[in-house]
């Protein structure tokens, strides 16, 4: 291929790449990952086609139920706050209006996980005695000393007696 043809081919490649990238950005066809900090909480999520992928919100901390629930509640408030802030602005370009619509839709449709893990209710004397017996059975499996064996026997006699 002669140098002029190579130059022309490179130019066409560059122009078509820019057009495709511009279209992908405008249509939001690629999955976009974001991490925003809201009220001192980092909230990660993904969006595509101007819709927030609900399963991706706070997905990085899903193993810790308490933190995950906290994060998803914050995310819901963040979506509402961003919706309100962006909706008030008159100077938004087309992409800004799409972001505003995306956050407003999320503020209406996103359902955070509601979880509260509290202290267990009070136990009866019998339940506490059974728990103590079980704890000492485990301890006696590891520690064969006569003292632990006697403690186990006494606790289990009380629990079963």
């Amino acid at each position: 291929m002669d140098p002029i043809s190579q130059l022309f081919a490179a130019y066409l490649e560059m122009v078509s790449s820019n057009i495709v990238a511009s279209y992908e950005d405008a249509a939001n066809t690629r999955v976009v990952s974001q991490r925003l900090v809201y009220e001192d909480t980092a909230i990660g999520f993904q969006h595509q086609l101007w819709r927030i992928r609900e399963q991706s919100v706070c997905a990085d901390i899903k193993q810790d139920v308490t933190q995950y629930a906290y994060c998803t509640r914050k995310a819901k408030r963040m979506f509402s706050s961003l919706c309100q802030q962006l909706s008030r602005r008159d100077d938004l370009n087309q992409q800004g209006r799409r972001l505003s619509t995306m956050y407003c839709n999320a503020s209406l449709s996103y359902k955070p996980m509601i979880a509260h893990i509290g202290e267990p209710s009070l136990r009866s004397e019998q339940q506490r005695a059974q728990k103590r017996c079980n704890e000492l059975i485990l301890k006696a499996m590891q520690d064969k000393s006569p003292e632990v064996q006697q403690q186990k026997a006494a606790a289990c006699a009380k629990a079963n007696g």
Side-chain angles (χ1 to χ4, degrees):
M1 192 182 263
D2 66 7
I4 295 195
S5 296
Q6 287 179 332
L7 181 63
F8 186 66
Y11 173 75
L12 286 177
E13 176 68 28
M14 181 189 71
V15 169
S16 66
S17 293
N18 286 341
I19 291 171
V20 169
S22 178
Y23 172 76
E24 286 177 340
D25 289 343
N28 194 225
T29 57
R30 284 184 265 157
V31 175
V32 177
S33 295
Q34 285 195 284
R35 186 167 201 78
L36 302 177
V37 176
Y38 179 74
E39 295 178 353
D40 297 325
T41 301
I43 300 169
F45 62 94
Q46 297 174 336
H47 62 87
Q48 182 180 27
L49 301 173
W50 302 110
R51 291 208 156 297
I52 290 178
R53 302 174 82 196
E54 292 192 12
Q55 73 277 9
S56 72
V57 178
C58 302
D60 56 331
I61 56 171
K62 216 170 195 168
Q63 319 76 289
D64 184 345
V65 176
T66 305
Q67 286 298 320
Y68 178 68
Y70 178 77
C71 179
T72 61
R73 288 192 309 270
K74 286 270 189 151
K76 173 80 171 182
R77 288 198 305 270
M78 179 186 74
F79 296 148
S80 297
S81 176
L82 287 169
C83 171
Q84 290 171 359
Q85 289 174 22
L86 292 171
S87 296
R88 281 190 225 126
R89 297 193 53 183
D90 295 329
D91 60 341
L92 293 177
N93 61 15
Q94 186 174 9
Q95 185 173 359
R97 286 191 302 274
R98 287 179 176 157
L99 279 170
S100 175
T101 301
M102 178 181 78
Y103 289 124
C104 290
N105 285 338
S107 74
L108 295 172
S109 66
Y110 181 68
K111 304 281 189 269
M113 178 186 196
I114 307 297
H116 176 73
I117 299 173
E119 291 295 316
S121 59
L122 295 175
R123 295 186 173 161
S124 69
E125 185 64 35
Q126 175 64 29
Q127 288 172 322
R128 284 193 296 270
Q130 188 64 49
K131 181 181 177 197
R132 179 72 179 144
C133 173
N134 289 341
E135 289 170 346
L136 286 169
I137 289 172
L138 287 174
K139 187 174 181 181
M141 290 175 162
Q142 297 169 351
D143 184 351
K144 302 289 185 192
S145 71
E147 181 181 305
V148 172
Q149 299 298 325
Q150 288 174 350
Q151 289 174 350
K152 178 190 86 163
C156 291
K158 182 178 178 183
N160 297 325

